[in-house]
PDB file of all heavy atoms in Angstrom:
ATOM      1  N   PRO Q 191     107.611  90.311 156.007  1.00  0.00           N
ATOM      2  CA  PRO Q 191     107.995  90.843 154.636  1.00  0.00           C
ATOM      3  C   PRO Q 191     107.666  89.831 153.539  1.00  0.00           C
ATOM      4  O   PRO Q 191     107.340  90.139 152.383  1.00  0.00           O
ATOM      5  CB  PRO Q 191     109.532  90.984 154.778  1.00  0.00           C
ATOM      6  CG  PRO Q 191     109.726  91.221 156.258  1.00  0.00           C
ATOM      7  CD  PRO Q 191     108.658  90.370 156.977  1.00  0.00           C
ATOM      8  N   VAL Q 192     107.878  88.511 153.885  1.00  0.00           N
ATOM      9  CA  VAL Q 192     107.536  87.494 152.842  1.00  0.00           C
ATOM     10  C   VAL Q 192     106.052  87.542 152.474  1.00  0.00           C
ATOM     11  O   VAL Q 192     105.661  87.440 151.366  1.00  0.00           O
ATOM     12  CB  VAL Q 192     107.941  86.104 153.341  1.00  0.00           C
ATOM     13  CG1 VAL Q 192     107.509  85.000 152.348  1.00  0.00           C
ATOM     14  CG2 VAL Q 192     109.491  86.030 153.557  1.00  0.00           C
ATOM     15  N   ALA Q 193     105.267  87.652 153.555  1.00  0.00           N
ATOM     16  CA  ALA Q 193     103.774  87.695 153.343  1.00  0.00           C
ATOM     17  C   ALA Q 193     103.466  88.928 152.419  1.00  0.00           C
ATOM     18  O   ALA Q 193     102.648  88.856 151.473  1.00  0.00           O
ATOM     19  CB  ALA Q 193     103.108  87.827 154.581  1.00  0.00           C
ATOM     20  N   ILE Q 194     104.069  90.101 152.713  1.00  0.00           N
ATOM     21  CA  ILE Q 194     103.795  91.317 151.925  1.00  0.00           C
ATOM     22  C   ILE Q 194     104.180  91.055 150.440  1.00  0.00           C
ATOM     23  O   ILE Q 194     103.581  91.429 149.490  1.00  0.00           O
ATOM     24  CB  ILE Q 194     104.464  92.540 152.524  1.00  0.00           C
ATOM     25  CG1 ILE Q 194     103.800  92.825 153.910  1.00  0.00           C
ATOM     26  CG2 ILE Q 194     104.322  93.710 151.618  1.00  0.00           C
ATOM     27  CD1 ILE Q 194     104.512  93.942 154.729  1.00  0.00           C
ATOM     28  N   HIS Q 195     105.372  90.426 150.284  1.00  0.00           N
ATOM     29  CA  HIS Q 195     105.909  90.180 148.939  1.00  0.00           C
ATOM     30  C   HIS Q 195     104.881  89.260 148.196  1.00  0.00           C
ATOM     31  O   HIS Q 195     104.466  89.521 147.049  1.00  0.00           O
ATOM     32  CB  HIS Q 195     107.274  89.482 149.069  1.00  0.00           C
ATOM     33  CG  HIS Q 195     107.780  89.061 147.746  1.00  0.00           C
ATOM     34  ND1 HIS Q 195     107.921  89.850 146.628  1.00  0.00           N
ATOM     35  CD2 HIS Q 195     108.336  87.821 147.316  1.00  0.00           C
ATOM     36  CE1 HIS Q 195     108.447  89.243 145.603  1.00  0.00           C
ATOM     37  NE2 HIS Q 195     108.666  88.021 145.917  1.00  0.00           N
ATOM     38  N   LEU Q 196     104.308  88.255 148.840  1.00  0.00           N
ATOM     39  CA  LEU Q 196     103.386  87.368 148.326  1.00  0.00           C
ATOM     40  C   LEU Q 196     102.100  88.087 147.912  1.00  0.00           C
ATOM     41  O   LEU Q 196     101.512  87.883 146.887  1.00  0.00           O
ATOM     42  CB  LEU Q 196     103.200  86.197 149.248  1.00  0.00           C
ATOM     43  CG  LEU Q 196     102.696  84.832 148.617  1.00  0.00           C
ATOM     44  CD1 LEU Q 196     103.593  84.463 147.459  1.00  0.00           C
ATOM     45  CD2 LEU Q 196     102.836  83.712 149.700  1.00  0.00           C
ATOM     46  N   LEU Q 197     101.654  88.910 148.872  1.00  0.00           N
ATOM     47  CA  LEU Q 197     100.406  89.605 148.678  1.00  0.00           C
ATOM     48  C   LEU Q 197     100.554  90.612 147.406  1.00  0.00           C
ATOM     49  O   LEU Q 197      99.552  90.810 146.683  1.00  0.00           O
ATOM     50  CB  LEU Q 197      99.949  90.397 149.855  1.00  0.00           C
ATOM     51  CG  LEU Q 197      99.478  89.591 151.065  1.00  0.00           C
ATOM     52  CD1 LEU Q 197      99.394  90.378 152.335  1.00  0.00           C
ATOM     53  CD2 LEU Q 197      98.190  88.887 150.657  1.00  0.00           C
ATOM     54  N   SER Q 198     101.750  91.163 147.265  1.00  0.00           N
ATOM     55  CA  SER Q 198     101.943  92.047 146.082  1.00  0.00           C
ATOM     56  C   SER Q 198     101.902  91.313 144.797  1.00  0.00           C
ATOM     57  O   SER Q 198     101.278  91.759 143.806  1.00  0.00           O
ATOM     58  CB  SER Q 198     103.248  92.870 146.172  1.00  0.00           C
ATOM     59  OG  SER Q 198     104.349  91.943 146.070  1.00  0.00           O
ATOM     60  N   LEU Q 199     102.391  90.063 144.779  1.00  0.00           N
ATOM     61  CA  LEU Q 199     102.256  89.209 143.594  1.00  0.00           C
ATOM     62  C   LEU Q 199     100.743  88.906 143.407  1.00  0.00           C
ATOM     63  O   LEU Q 199     100.300  88.844 142.236  1.00  0.00           O
ATOM     64  CB  LEU Q 199     103.054  87.943 143.814  1.00  0.00           C
ATOM     65  CG  LEU Q 199     102.799  86.901 142.746  1.00  0.00           C
ATOM     66  CD1 LEU Q 199     103.451  87.266 141.410  1.00  0.00           C
ATOM     67  CD2 LEU Q 199     103.215  85.521 143.158  1.00  0.00           C
ATOM     68  N   GLU Q 200     100.063  88.565 144.454  1.00  0.00           N
ATOM     69  CA  GLU Q 200      98.643  88.304 144.325  1.00  0.00           C
ATOM     70  C   GLU Q 200      97.824  89.462 143.819  1.00  0.00           C
ATOM     71  O   GLU Q 200      96.820  89.297 143.043  1.00  0.00           O
ATOM     72  CB  GLU Q 200      98.077  87.762 145.712  1.00  0.00           C
ATOM     73  CG  GLU Q 200      98.644  86.450 146.044  1.00  0.00           C
ATOM     74  CD  GLU Q 200      98.764  86.119 147.504  1.00  0.00           C
ATOM     75  OE1 GLU Q 200      98.226  86.897 148.348  1.00  0.00           O
ATOM     76  OE2 GLU Q 200      99.405  85.040 147.786  1.00  0.00           O
ATOM     77  N   LEU Q 201      98.286  90.646 144.172  1.00  0.00           N
ATOM     78  CA  LEU Q 201      97.551  91.814 143.627  1.00  0.00           C
ATOM     79  C   LEU Q 201      97.688  91.872 142.102  1.00  0.00           C
ATOM     80  O   LEU Q 201      96.813  92.138 141.335  1.00  0.00           O
ATOM     81  CB  LEU Q 201      98.157  93.120 144.241  1.00  0.00           C
ATOM     82  CG  LEU Q 201      97.586  94.449 143.727  1.00  0.00           C
ATOM     83  CD1 LEU Q 201      96.057  94.580 144.066  1.00  0.00           C
ATOM     84  CD2 LEU Q 201      98.398  95.627 144.318  1.00  0.00           C
ATOM     85  N   LEU Q 202      98.978  91.552 141.678  1.00  0.00           N
ATOM     86  CA  LEU Q 202      99.234  91.536 140.170  1.00  0.00           C
ATOM     87  C   LEU Q 202      98.359  90.455 139.478  1.00  0.00           C
ATOM     88  O   LEU Q 202      97.755  90.738 138.460  1.00  0.00           O
ATOM     89  CB  LEU Q 202     100.754  91.192 139.981  1.00  0.00           C
ATOM     90  CG  LEU Q 202     101.230  91.180 138.573  1.00  0.00           C
ATOM     91  CD1 LEU Q 202     102.643  91.619 138.484  1.00  0.00           C
ATOM     92  CD2 LEU Q 202     101.138  89.840 137.850  1.00  0.00           C
ATOM     93  N   LEU Q 203      98.255  89.287 140.135  1.00  0.00           N
ATOM     94  CA  LEU Q 203      97.420  88.223 139.574  1.00  0.00           C
ATOM     95  C   LEU Q 203      95.937  88.674 139.521  1.00  0.00           C
ATOM     96  O   LEU Q 203      95.190  88.348 138.521  1.00  0.00           O
ATOM     97  CB  LEU Q 203      97.556  86.939 140.425  1.00  0.00           C
ATOM     98  CG  LEU Q 203      98.842  86.242 140.299  1.00  0.00           C
ATOM     99  CD1 LEU Q 203      98.910  85.030 141.256  1.00  0.00           C
ATOM    100  CD2 LEU Q 203      99.091  85.703 138.900  1.00  0.00           C
TER     101      LEU Q 203
END
Side-chain angles (χ1 to χ4, degrees):
Chain Q
V192 173
I194 292 172
H195 177 50
L196 207 45
L197 287 170
S198 66
L199 170 75
E200 286 153 10
L201 177 64
L202 185 149
L203 288 175

